[in-house]
């Protein structure tokens, strides 16, 4: 089983990317987390460019989402909301709405910020956006507050946040497994 | 249940004419009433010798039609009906009573995997002989449900702070039933 991880923060030492790396240590042996780092290459959405051949970075992202059993997004908060490039990338993935690869895809959101709230507004807005796109959005939140104190040498050191991450990811894996099982059952029924 | 005043239909099993039937919903949205429906519905009605009439019907969520494919997709998503997990809506009434042409039934409705009792009211047309030698009658049923009782909680605040979509939804079924002539 594969989870696609997207970090809404592009910088090299991002705390949000750090959360995703921490998730890797919490996964069962048969689950892998692929951290997709191509967000910076996704151009601004333009319907004129959204034809038969999408821009390369968009095609890659759509394919990565389609190939994953679940999606986990770690987001910072910019001006009380989702970073523009992350929202933009999801807008690309959402087209066309009726057949986009996020439809019914189990999805969870976590967040880190150096402030006192841990990107909770960005997480709430991101859950809303994902639900509108059609994802099966988990109603959980992991708020890594004062993120500069939660990491040591780039590694998550806050045990409370780690426990929350573990709980969130376990639920996401359960949802993805249930979906896989449901599809398997439907396939065998059809056969 | 009270005894039926009059027989709704001659005894036997009646099958739905799906083309000339529709199951829809009406819900207040901002400044008006928004209507949609399900294209793929099935139903059957049985009238027993003792006058008891039972009705059961289903609608396929994937056939929801609100004239916009993107909104159709949103309605099928986990945000609303969650068609992947709950592909069917279901209704069952075990005793439909009739007073004049007014129909009343206590039934159960299942939406998004949640089953709740519901009171259904409606009207009935007389039984006629249709041009193909069948007996045919029509029934229109209405039920009011609170969509949040079934986990359909989506909403969007307007700039005023009011919510765009009402919780109360009227479900309307306009059904034509046919019994093959002997």
């Amino acid at each position: 089983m594969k989870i696609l991880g997207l970090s809404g923060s592009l910088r090299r030492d991002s705390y949000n990317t750090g959360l995703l790396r921490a998730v890797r240590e919490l996964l069962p042996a048969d689950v892998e987390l692929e951290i997709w780092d191509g967000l910076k290459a996704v151009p601004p959405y333009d319907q004129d460019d959204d034809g038969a051949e999408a821009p390369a970075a968009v095609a890659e992202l759509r394919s990565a989402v389609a190939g994953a059993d679940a999606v986990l997004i770690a987001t910072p908060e910019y001006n009380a909301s989702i970073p523009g490039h992350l929202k933009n990338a999801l807008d690309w993935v959402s087209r066309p709405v009726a057949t986009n690869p996020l439809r019914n895809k189990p999805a969870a959101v976590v967040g880190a910020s150096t402030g006192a709230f841990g990107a909770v507004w960005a997480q709430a807005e991101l859950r809303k956006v994902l639900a509108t796109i059609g994802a099966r959005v988990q109603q959980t939140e992991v708020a890594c507050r004062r993120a500069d104190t939660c990491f040591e040498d780039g590694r998550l050191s806050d045990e409370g946040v780690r426990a929350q991450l573990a709980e969130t990811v376990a639920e996401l894996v359960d949802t993805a497994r249930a979906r896989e099982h449901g599809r398997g059952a439907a396939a065998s029924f059809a056969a | 249940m009270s005894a039926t005043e009059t027989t709704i239909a001659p005894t036997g099993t009646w099958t739905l004419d799906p083309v000339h039937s529709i199951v829809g919903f009406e819900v207040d949205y901002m400044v008006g009433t928004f209507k949609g429906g399900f294209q793929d519905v099935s139903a059957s009605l049985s009238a027993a010798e003792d006058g008891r009439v039972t009705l059961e019907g289903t609608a396929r969520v994937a056939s929801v039609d609100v004239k916009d494919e993107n909104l159709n997709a949103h309605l099928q998503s986990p945000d609303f009906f969650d068609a992947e997990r709950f592909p069917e809506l279901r209704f069952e009434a075990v005793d439909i009573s009739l007073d004049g042409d007014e129909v009343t039934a206590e039934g159960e409705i299942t939406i998004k995997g949640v089953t709740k009792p519901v009171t259904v009211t409606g009207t009935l047309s007389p039984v006629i002989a249709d041009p193909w030698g069948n007996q045919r009658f029509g029934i229109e049923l209405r039920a009011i449900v609170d969509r949040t009782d079934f986990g359909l909680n989506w909403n969007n605040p307007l700039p005023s702070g009011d919510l765009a979509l009402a919780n109360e939804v009227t479900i309307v079924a306009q059904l034509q039933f046919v019994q093959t002539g002997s």
Side-chain angles (χ1 to χ4, degrees), chain A residues 37-61:
Chain A
D37 61 0
L39 275 191
K40 197 170 179 174
V42 176
Y45 183 79
D46 181 341
Q47 198 172 357
D48 291 342
D49 298 334
D50 193 9
E53 275 195 34
V58 172
E60 197 185 311
L61 177 57

Side-chain angles (χ1 to χ4, degrees), chain A residues 97-98 103-104 128 131-132 134-136 175 179, chain B residues 69-70 73-74 76-79 82 84-85 156:
Chain A
V97 174
R103 278 177 61 72
N104 296 309
K128 176 185 165 186
T132 301
R136 188 174 298 290
T175 306
R179 184 169 185 239
Chain B
E69 66 173 354
N70 292 332
H74 194 191
Q76 290 173 49
S77 77
D79 229 7
D82 198 351
E84 185 181 69
R85 281 191 183 169
N156 217 0

Side-chain angles (χ1 to χ4, degrees), chain B residues 79-161:
Chain B
D79 229 7
F80 279 94
F81 288 104
D82 198 351
E84 185 181 69
R85 281 191 183 169
F86 307 105
E88 266 187 4
L89 310 180
R90 184 170 182 79
F91 173 75
E92 232 179 295
V94 292
D95 194 357
I96 304 176
S97 59
L98 182 67
D99 185 3
D101 66 349
E102 298 287 318
V103 176
T104 310
E106 297 298 326
E108 285 192 333
I109 193 162
T110 304
I111 302 171
K112 206 174 182 176
V114 178
T115 302
K116 297 267 180 195
V118 67
T119 302
V120 174
T121 57
T123 54
L124 188 74
S125 80
V127 178
I128 63 156
D130 75 14
W132 303 280
N134 305 311
Q135 299 223 79
R136 175 182 291 258
F137 75 94
I139 188 167
E140 176 174 324
L141 299 171
R142 288 177 170 262
I144 294 174
V145 298
D146 182 330
R147 64 190 175 93
T148 62
D149 289 345
F150 301 90
L152 274 77
N153 298 319
W154 180 91
N155 226 316
N156 217 0
L158 299 168
S160 65

Side-chain angles (χ1 to χ4, degrees), chain A residues 2 23 35-36 42 48 66 71 84 126 139:
Chain A
K2 184 194 274 188
V23 165
I35 300 176
W36 194 76
V42 176
D48 291 342
V71 173
L126 190 49
Q139 296 304 313

